[in-house]
């Protein structure tokens, strides 16, 4: 990494550390979070979707196309794709929460470093 990039990264980190965030408790209420049973079901569902998709991806084009043998089969696969899309969207919502949490923790860690080790931060 060049010196220019390091300065740029340090400046960007400082800009992030200058940001302040309002609490997200009204957006992501703990009462709405899944309980242990919900999490177990979600984990099982994720495993089922992953294994099913892995099996489908094992087929070559010809083998997969043979599963679309008539209108009834095509309707089945269309419905299946719609359910898969819904599952993908539900996974994205969970990832947004995790990514937001990671970003906020990284910002706080940078603030901590800036307050407690300012010389090391500006020299690196």
């Amino acid at each position: 990494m060049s010196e220019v990039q390091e300065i740029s990264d340090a400046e960007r980190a400082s800009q992030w550390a200058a940001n302040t965030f309002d609490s997200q408790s009204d957006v992501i209420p703990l009462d709405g979070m899944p309980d242990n049973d919900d999490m177990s079901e979600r984990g099982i569902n994720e495993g089922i979707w992953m294994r099913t998709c892995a099996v489908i991806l094992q087929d070559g084009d010809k083998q997969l196309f043979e599963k679309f043998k008539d209108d009834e089969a095509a309707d089945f696969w269309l419905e299946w794709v719609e359910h898969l899309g819904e599952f993908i969207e539900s996974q994205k919502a969970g990832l947004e929460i995790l990514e937001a949490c990671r970003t906020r923790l990284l910002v706080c860690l940078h603030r901590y470093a800036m307050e407690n080790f300012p010389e090391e931060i500006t020299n690196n």
Side-chain angles (χ1 to χ4, degrees):
M1 187 181 286
S2 72
E3 187 175 332
V4 174
Q5 289 172 322
E6 289 177 17
I7 292 169
S8 175
D9 290 344
E11 288 175 355
R12 191 171 324 128
S14 294
Q15 290 170 351
W16 273 98
N19 288 332
T20 58
F21 299 92
D22 291 329
S23 170
Q24 300 291 302
S25 61
D26 57 332
V27 177
I28 306 167
L30 292 177
D31 291 341
M33 297 306 289
D35 61 20
N36 288 344
D37 290 338
D38 295 333
M39 294 301 292
S40 294
E41 183 179 340
R42 182 180 174 139
I44 290 169
N45 285 338
E46 181 177 342
I48 291 169
W49 279 111
M50 295 295 272
R51 289 181 67 166
T52 305
C53 288
V55 168
I56 290 170
L57 292 171
Q58 297 296 313
D59 288 343
D61 286 345
K62 185 177 184 217
Q63 290 171 305
L64 186 57
F65 187 70
E66 287 172 355
K67 293 181 177 156
F68 292 78
K69 57 187 173 211
D70 56 27
D71 288 348
E72 186 177 335
D75 287 343
F76 167 81
W77 287 110
L78 177 60
E79 185 177 337
W80 197 88
V81 167
E82 289 170 353
H83 289 303
L84 178 59
E86 291 169 4
F87 177 74
I88 290 169
E89 288 303 313
S90 75
Q91 295 294 90
K92 286 179 183 177
L95 289 177
E96 288 174 2
I97 292 170
L98 297 174
E99 288 173 345
C101 181
R102 180 183 68 174
T103 299
R104 292 198 59 197
L105 289 171
L106 288 172
V107 167
C108 287
L109 284 167
H110 184 76
R111 285 181 187 147
Y112 174 82
M114 290 295 288
E115 286 183 16
N116 293 285
F117 310 103
E119 291 176 8
E120 287 86 347
I121 297 295
T122 55
N123 291 336
N124 290 329

